[in-house]
Amino acid sequence: MPELVNLEVFRYSPEHTPEPRFQKFQVPYNKEWVVLDALNYIKDRTDGSLSFRWSCRMGICGSCGVLINGEPKLSCATFLPSKSSKPIRIEPLRHFPVIRDLIVHIGDFMTKLKKVKPWIIRTNESPLSEGEFLQTPDEMERYHQFSHCINCMLCYAACPIYGLDPLFAGPAAIALAQRYNNDSRDQGAARRMPILSSHDGIWACTFVGECTQVCPKHVDPAAAIQQYKLTAALHSLKSVIAPRGAA
Amino acid sequence: MTSHSGYTLHHPQWLRRRVSTWWWLSRWRYFKFILREITSVFVAAAVVLLLLYVAALRRGPDALIAFQSWLSRPPILAASAVVFFFTLIHSITWFNLAPKAMKVRLGNIPVPPALIAAGHYFAWLVISLALAWIILTGG
Amino acid sequence: MDSPAHDVLILGGGGAGLRAAIAVAQSAPELRVAVLSKVYPMRSHTVSAEGGAAGVVAKDDSLDEHAYDTISGGDWLCDQDAVESFVRAAPQELTQLEHWGCPWSRDASGHIAVRAFGGMRKMRTWFAADKTGFHLLHTLFQTTLQYDSIHRYDEWFATRLLIDDGRVQGVVAIDASTGRIQAITAHAVILCTGGCGRVFPFTTNANIKNGDGMSLAWRAGAPLKDMEFVQYHPTGLPFTGILITEAARAEGGYLINKDGYRYLQDYDLGTPQLKPVLRSMELGPRDRLSQAFVHEQAKGRTIPSPHGDIVHLDLRHLGEDVINARLPFIRELCLKYQNLDPVTELIPVRPVVHYMMGGVHTNNEGATPLPGLYAAGEVACVSINGANRLGSNSLPELLVFGARAGLAAADYARSAHPPSDHVEAQAADEIRRLHTLLHRKGGRRIADIRVRMQSAMESGAGIFRDAKTLCDAANEIAELQSADVSLDDHSLTFNTEWIAALELSFMLDVAQAIVHSALSREESRGAHQRTDFPARDDSRYLAHTLIYHRHGDAPRVDYLPVTITRWPPGQRVYGR
């Protein structure tokens, strides 16, 4: 008799299960299996209607974030626990509307991402024929960490502020804005400032720090936000002391 | 199709889950965060105490003596100890946060986070010693 | 019928699709361009590319050398005019990515750094540590956000091309989140849907790589080209198939067998040196390295594992600093998914299906023979990859040809005329077909058919094939194509099973094209190794396979001569 693992999976379907519920499943234990393999086992053999997102299965596409026993995790990067007496509870990411089962709607993030202008802004264009912009490894190091965000949304699911105040721009969007602000090739920091230093930008953050805890790519969005608070505070201080100079 | 009566064909009907009032009890880390937020009232209390002190000073020597004797009553002393304790904790969490918010460079070399925090603690110590010196020698 | 919804409709939001979208938005801001993708664009499989992107920048390098490496690496099945124009455009495209913010790794002076790669005689591979595809895709995606003329259909799944008067006029697609099926008309359609690694059981490819675009084009009458050439990457992690980039060997990693012996020296790939030598040993081309594994296995010198035989990739001598600086993602993947640290331990690896050299037949501008239909990236076959793609050529390929297809489609869209009512009738047919499938019960489970297809492909059309294995596979695929699938899920809201059923039928088409193309080519060349025809045969097969779909019948195979400009077919020499 192979060892079995018990799962409790969140189910919701507006057509058939309008009242959300947890459904119990059993899958064989396999030490090489991640939670995603268990979900696929269920979908392939037991219940083809179980719905979830996944793609690369190597922790880089950012599709498969769910709550596993309450913690936001990538289901492809979380091994099944062995000899677990309690069932593993799998739920859709917190703070997002659920479309179906484990699938959440992330349109809100996509809108906010665009708002922070996450692209290189240049005031003076230089032609490709002049070659690359020079950037030393040290200059790259100043933004590199923030460029590793895979948009998996685990930080939004971990952030109680986002849960309570859906207008908050959120950890990933701010980290990505800061990624460009810190890039030596970018000249757009001033254009991002009105969005970032608004009420729903960095100042909504009370530094819970959970975003950084759950980030699977060690982006440290909390640091990005606190850094920008300092930048914005210094900027407004300057605009009080020397209004023209700071403008 | 066995459709639910509330469902309209092709219309998204997302399930919006409300954040529970008790969300901060759901995880130890959230609870710690709320504790940190709540105990900041003691920092405010420290500020109020200071302001009261200044007000007493302004009203003259008699008021100051009265205020100081009020301060030395046991319940007030105990409360002050609590206020001092949390102010200390918040100072420490604040200084520990500093390296996250500040990326300092000397030339091209990034200053390691521990050194930035150490710098803050050092400045704290120097200022405290200076204040102690003024108070102890000046008083 | 009304004027179409879009001027240019791009299927797929990976590297090629996004590059095409930007090309249209920049060159023709007045055109209405749309990107329709079954996943959010930043989830596309470009994200998984690791090692780098080739483009000549070093002073001691030349375009001709890049072209020669590509052509000899492709066993002379590349169209040389295409390769020449590709290597010319590649550095410019990579510089463009740099201007858009891609964090390419740098040398100390701030210039682009390049690394060695398999089959390349010079260091010319640009890289962003070992997450090149990730950075490239996110840079492109974030860059597209500034163009308001780019409309996105996120999580829509295209099921059929609409054809009017011989011209492609749009698609029918399902909006996954609501299940609504809609005709989306356009003057021109660009396929950027990627490859089809999922027709095999063991692949580096993401779950979304089902040959969708190949099958859409094929059913609409466009030929697929060189589909027998399936690339096995020599180093994938067993069980998961996670890719361990060639850059691990370019940085100096060794491939060793069960005796700790660098076995590649036995397969005419050079003599082992301590430091990596270009075009030698571990830096040989992928087809030869994967074939060497099979020979080594036959000699009993591989290591058995629960998930098939393996050899070892040894990075230990590189040291922790080099691994952290140049291969951080490889270390992370090994730690997270294989529970081992390459700094101190050997990495188990085996050949794994990685890339499709073949694809929808296009010309140098990305145009297919079907008017109004363009293709770029892995879904297309231009062909610059011939019988075996060199590592780090696919990322510049999707940029160069993505941009070109975008420009060509924009040009075409300006002069095209609107679709007729005929398109509406086609869309109505398709909607009926999709609804019938949605309510299908009592057939076989999708997973059963998929598993049988995958094992038929592995045993029939693997690294080595012959007429018998291929015939068996062809029969099995034909049987599976006629099988009825049943669904557990009959709802409209985000029905992933419905989409999986459609993907399965796309994959079966592609599997059929692969098997029949392979059966037809009675020679061995590059990644297509026939044990019953072990030699290359330039007299008969210095030609591209063109395979045509025939409804309810075996496909028709035709050949198109390879374009040779300056490099007559020669011997592929590595390590000497």
Side-chain angles (χ1 to χ4, degrees), chain A residues 3-235:
Chain A
E3 191 186 335
L4 295 172
V5 179
N6 291 300
L7 305 177
E8 279 179 3
V9 187
F10 183 94
R11 301 301 305 264
Y12 165 75
S13 156
E15 294 156 72
H16 305 295
T17 324
E19 288 307 315
R21 63 189 172 91
F22 282 92
Q23 190 175 354
K24 289 188 165 59
F25 293 102
Q26 276 194 330
V27 299
Y29 173 72
N30 186 328
K31 74 175 165 57
E32 276 147 334
W33 275 16
V34 290
V35 169
L36 176 62
D37 294 316
L39 294 175
N40 271 320
Y41 180 91
I42 296 166
K43 184 157 187 83
D44 285 350
R45 311 222 183 176
T46 322
D47 184 349
S49 73
L50 180 64
S51 306
F52 48 95
R53 291 191 182 106
W54 72 287
S55 184
C56 76
R57 210 209 172 276
M58 56 192 281
I60 193 79
C61 77
S63 306
C64 67
V66 290
L67 295 186
I68 299 173
N69 291 333
E71 290 282 345
K73 300 252 191 201
L74 296 180
S75 64
C76 80
T78 309
F79 283 93
L80 286 179
S82 67
K83 307 261 190 299
S84 168
S85 52
K86 270 176 39 187
I88 307 160
R89 181 168 268 227
I90 303 166
E91 298 164 81
L93 288 180
R94 225 180 268 127
H95 306 150
F96 293 96
V98 182
I99 301 176
R100 168 93 189 260
D101 296 347
L102 302 174
I103 298 173
V104 295
H105 186 260
I106 62 165
D108 180 50
F109 166 74
M110 300 302 280
T111 312
K112 286 170 176 164
L113 181 65
K114 183 175 168 136
K115 276 197 185 142
V116 301
K117 303 185 194 297
W119 54 80
I120 293 275
I121 297 173
R122 298 281 302 176
T123 47
N124 57 319
E125 287 291 336
S126 41
L128 292 184
S129 55
E130 284 175 17
E132 75 269 38
F133 295 118
L134 293 189
Q135 183 169 68
T136 62
D138 180 61
E139 285 170 325
M140 180 144 85
E141 202 270 327
R142 295 177 200 199
Y143 70 87
H144 206 234
Q145 183 178 24
F146 301 144
S147 74
H148 286 118
C149 172
I150 60 172
N151 303 176
C152 64
M153 304 290 103
L154 300 194
C155 56
Y156 284 76
C159 174
I161 307 302
Y162 180 64
L164 297 164
D165 173 13
L167 295 176
F168 175 41
I174 296 177
L176 283 164
Q178 192 64 352
R179 172 249 175 275
Y180 284 94
N181 282 341
N182 287 2
D183 191 321
S184 59
R185 299 166 289 185
D186 181 78
Q187 301 166 328
R191 289 184 53 195
R192 289 184 200 102
M193 182 165 270
I195 308 133
L196 290 179
S197 59
S198 71
H199 177 263
D200 300 322
I202 46 165
W203 301 116
C205 166
T206 52
F207 193 51
V208 184
E210 276 300 282
C211 50
T212 294
Q213 292 289 329
V214 300
C215 178
K217 295 289 149 182
H218 311 294
V219 171
D220 201 353
I225 299 174
Q226 308 324 311
Q227 274 175 35
Y228 201 79
K229 281 181 183 169
L230 191 65
T231 309
L234 289 176
H235 179 86

Side-chain angles (χ1 to χ4, degrees), chain C residues 42-65:
Chain C
M42 70 280 185
R43 316 281 189 226
S44 308
H45 191 58
T46 305
V47 84
S48 302
E50 295 172 1
V56 171
V57 278
K59 290 211 170 54
D60 67 337
D61 198 0
S62 71
L63 297 177
D64 277 4
E65 287 173 282

